[in-house]
Amino acid sequence: MDRSPPRVRRQADLEARTQDPDSSSPDPPTTESEDSGSHGVGYRKPPRHTQFKPGQSGNPRGRPKNPTAFDELMEKELGQIVTVREGDQARRLSKRSVIVKQVVKKAMEGE
């Protein structure tokens, strides 16, 4: 198993650490990339412009609702009440009852 040699610290790094923080030496020059706040892009480091903003969800619309089953839709629709005229009187019946009455009537007529 190859092991890389230990990292050698540069003299400038050591001097910077040993200096008194109150000293009047100027700050080291910054590069353009440090000013813009960019960072390295790579494994587990996506570009900043593609990262979620604070308070923003990764799934804004949430999980989609399951589609309602056909039998549930039919049950709901057939259970609705409608007003039907039978002769000269108005009756309130469910759509299911109206369909059954129409099928029976057509069967009696010979269709």
Side-chain angles (χ1 to χ4, degrees), residues 101-111:
K101 284 185 174 281
Q102 286 178 345
V103 168
V104 170
K105 180 181 173 188
K106 287 187 178 188
M108 290 184 65
E109 291 174 354
E111 277 191 44

PDB file of all heavy atoms in Angstrom, residues 101-111:
ATOM      1  N   LYS A 101     -83.852   2.382 -14.078  1.00  0.00           N
ATOM      2  CA  LYS A 101     -85.215   2.577 -14.610  1.00  0.00           C
ATOM      3  C   LYS A 101     -85.205   2.624 -16.138  1.00  0.00           C
ATOM      4  O   LYS A 101     -86.071   2.042 -16.787  1.00  0.00           O
ATOM      5  CB  LYS A 101     -85.838   3.850 -14.053  1.00  0.00           C
ATOM      6  CG  LYS A 101     -86.309   3.731 -12.632  1.00  0.00           C
ATOM      7  CD  LYS A 101     -87.023   4.997 -12.212  1.00  0.00           C
ATOM      8  CE  LYS A 101     -87.617   4.857 -10.851  1.00  0.00           C
ATOM      9  NZ  LYS A 101     -88.860   4.122 -10.842  1.00  0.00           N
ATOM     10  N   GLN A 102     -84.224   3.339 -16.735  1.00  0.00           N
ATOM     11  CA  GLN A 102     -84.160   3.436 -18.196  1.00  0.00           C
ATOM     12  C   GLN A 102     -83.863   2.081 -18.824  1.00  0.00           C
ATOM     13  O   GLN A 102     -84.468   1.717 -19.846  1.00  0.00           O
ATOM     14  CB  GLN A 102     -83.089   4.441 -18.605  1.00  0.00           C
ATOM     15  CG  GLN A 102     -83.482   5.878 -18.368  1.00  0.00           C
ATOM     16  CD  GLN A 102     -82.373   6.847 -18.755  1.00  0.00           C
ATOM     17  OE1 GLN A 102     -81.232   6.452 -18.946  1.00  0.00           O
ATOM     18  NE2 GLN A 102     -82.732   8.117 -18.869  1.00  0.00           N
ATOM     19  N   VAL A 103     -82.972   1.304 -18.231  1.00  0.00           N
ATOM     20  CA  VAL A 103     -82.625  -0.018 -18.788  1.00  0.00           C
ATOM     21  C   VAL A 103     -83.851  -0.942 -18.707  1.00  0.00           C
ATOM     22  O   VAL A 103     -84.153  -1.655 -19.683  1.00  0.00           O
ATOM     23  CB  VAL A 103     -81.407  -0.624 -18.042  1.00  0.00           C
ATOM     24  CG1 VAL A 103     -81.215  -2.083 -18.394  1.00  0.00           C
ATOM     25  CG2 VAL A 103     -80.161   0.158 -18.339  1.00  0.00           C
ATOM     26  N   VAL A 104     -84.537  -0.925 -17.590  1.00  0.00           N
ATOM     27  CA  VAL A 104     -85.710  -1.785 -17.438  1.00  0.00           C
ATOM     28  C   VAL A 104     -86.801  -1.364 -18.415  1.00  0.00           C
ATOM     29  O   VAL A 104     -87.447  -2.209 -19.059  1.00  0.00           O
ATOM     30  CB  VAL A 104     -86.226  -1.737 -15.971  1.00  0.00           C
ATOM     31  CG1 VAL A 104     -87.580  -2.420 -15.839  1.00  0.00           C
ATOM     32  CG2 VAL A 104     -85.208  -2.382 -15.050  1.00  0.00           C
ATOM     33  N   LYS A 105     -87.026  -0.060 -18.595  1.00  0.00           N
ATOM     34  CA  LYS A 105     -88.040   0.429 -19.508  1.00  0.00           C
ATOM     35  C   LYS A 105     -87.750   0.000 -20.940  1.00  0.00           C
ATOM     36  O   LYS A 105     -88.643  -0.485 -21.655  1.00  0.00           O
ATOM     37  CB  LYS A 105     -88.117   1.965 -19.433  1.00  0.00           C
ATOM     38  CG  LYS A 105     -89.134   2.581 -20.340  1.00  0.00           C
ATOM     39  CD  LYS A 105     -89.117   4.099 -20.216  1.00  0.00           C
ATOM     40  CE  LYS A 105     -90.032   4.700 -21.254  1.00  0.00           C
ATOM     41  NZ  LYS A 105     -89.917   6.139 -21.304  1.00  0.00           N
ATOM     42  N   LYS A 106     -86.464   0.149 -21.381  1.00  0.00           N
ATOM     43  CA  LYS A 106     -86.087  -0.250 -22.733  1.00  0.00           C
ATOM     44  C   LYS A 106     -86.194  -1.767 -22.923  1.00  0.00           C
ATOM     45  O   LYS A 106     -86.570  -2.258 -23.985  1.00  0.00           O
ATOM     46  CB  LYS A 106     -84.679   0.217 -23.065  1.00  0.00           C
ATOM     47  CG  LYS A 106     -84.599   1.708 -23.292  1.00  0.00           C
ATOM     48  CD  LYS A 106     -83.246   2.122 -23.771  1.00  0.00           C
ATOM     49  CE  LYS A 106     -83.235   3.626 -24.018  1.00  0.00           C
ATOM     50  NZ  LYS A 106     -82.024   4.055 -24.652  1.00  0.00           N
ATOM     51  N   ALA A 107     -85.895  -2.525 -21.861  1.00  0.00           N
ATOM     52  CA  ALA A 107     -86.019  -3.978 -21.943  1.00  0.00           C
ATOM     53  C   ALA A 107     -87.493  -4.385 -22.113  1.00  0.00           C
ATOM     54  O   ALA A 107     -87.806  -5.326 -22.856  1.00  0.00           O
ATOM     55  CB  ALA A 107     -85.423  -4.635 -20.698  1.00  0.00           C
ATOM     56  N   MET A 108     -88.369  -3.678 -21.454  1.00  0.00           N
ATOM     57  CA  MET A 108     -89.793  -4.000 -21.566  1.00  0.00           C
ATOM     58  C   MET A 108     -90.350  -3.609 -22.927  1.00  0.00           C
ATOM     59  O   MET A 108     -91.314  -4.201 -23.409  1.00  0.00           O
ATOM     60  CB  MET A 108     -90.588  -3.306 -20.445  1.00  0.00           C
ATOM     61  CG  MET A 108     -90.287  -3.913 -19.091  1.00  0.00           C
ATOM     62  SD  MET A 108     -91.264  -3.237 -17.773  1.00  0.00           S
ATOM     63  CE  MET A 108     -92.889  -3.741 -18.231  1.00  0.00           C
ATOM     64  N   GLU A 109     -89.726  -2.602 -23.563  1.00  0.00           N
ATOM     65  CA  GLU A 109     -90.168  -2.192 -24.895  1.00  0.00           C
ATOM     66  C   GLU A 109     -89.629  -3.127 -25.958  1.00  0.00           C
ATOM     67  O   GLU A 109     -90.018  -3.039 -27.122  1.00  0.00           O
ATOM     68  CB  GLU A 109     -89.714  -0.756 -25.176  1.00  0.00           C
ATOM     69  CG  GLU A 109     -90.419   0.292 -24.345  1.00  0.00           C
ATOM     70  CD  GLU A 109     -89.863   1.681 -24.540  1.00  0.00           C
ATOM     71  OE1 GLU A 109     -88.828   1.832 -25.261  1.00  0.00           O
ATOM     72  OE2 GLU A 109     -90.417   2.632 -23.977  1.00  0.00           O
ATOM     73  N   GLY A 110     -88.701  -4.005 -25.622  1.00  0.00           N
ATOM     74  CA  GLY A 110     -88.180  -4.978 -26.566  1.00  0.00           C
ATOM     75  C   GLY A 110     -86.825  -4.615 -27.171  1.00  0.00           C
ATOM     76  O   GLY A 110     -86.390  -5.248 -28.119  1.00  0.00           O
ATOM     77  N   GLU A 111     -86.161  -3.628 -26.653  1.00  0.00           N
ATOM     78  CA  GLU A 111     -84.831  -3.283 -27.200  1.00  0.00           C
ATOM     79  C   GLU A 111     -83.750  -4.144 -26.644  1.00  0.00           C
ATOM     80  O   GLU A 111     -83.634  -4.531 -25.581  1.00  0.00           O
ATOM     81  CB  GLU A 111     -84.514  -1.807 -26.926  1.00  0.00           C
ATOM     82  CG  GLU A 111     -85.118  -0.906 -27.937  1.00  0.00           C
ATOM     83  CD  GLU A 111     -84.570   0.523 -27.822  1.00  0.00           C
ATOM     84  OE1 GLU A 111     -83.353   0.690 -27.659  1.00  0.00           O
ATOM     85  OE2 GLU A 111     -85.394   1.429 -27.875  1.00  0.00           O
TER      86      GLU A 111
END
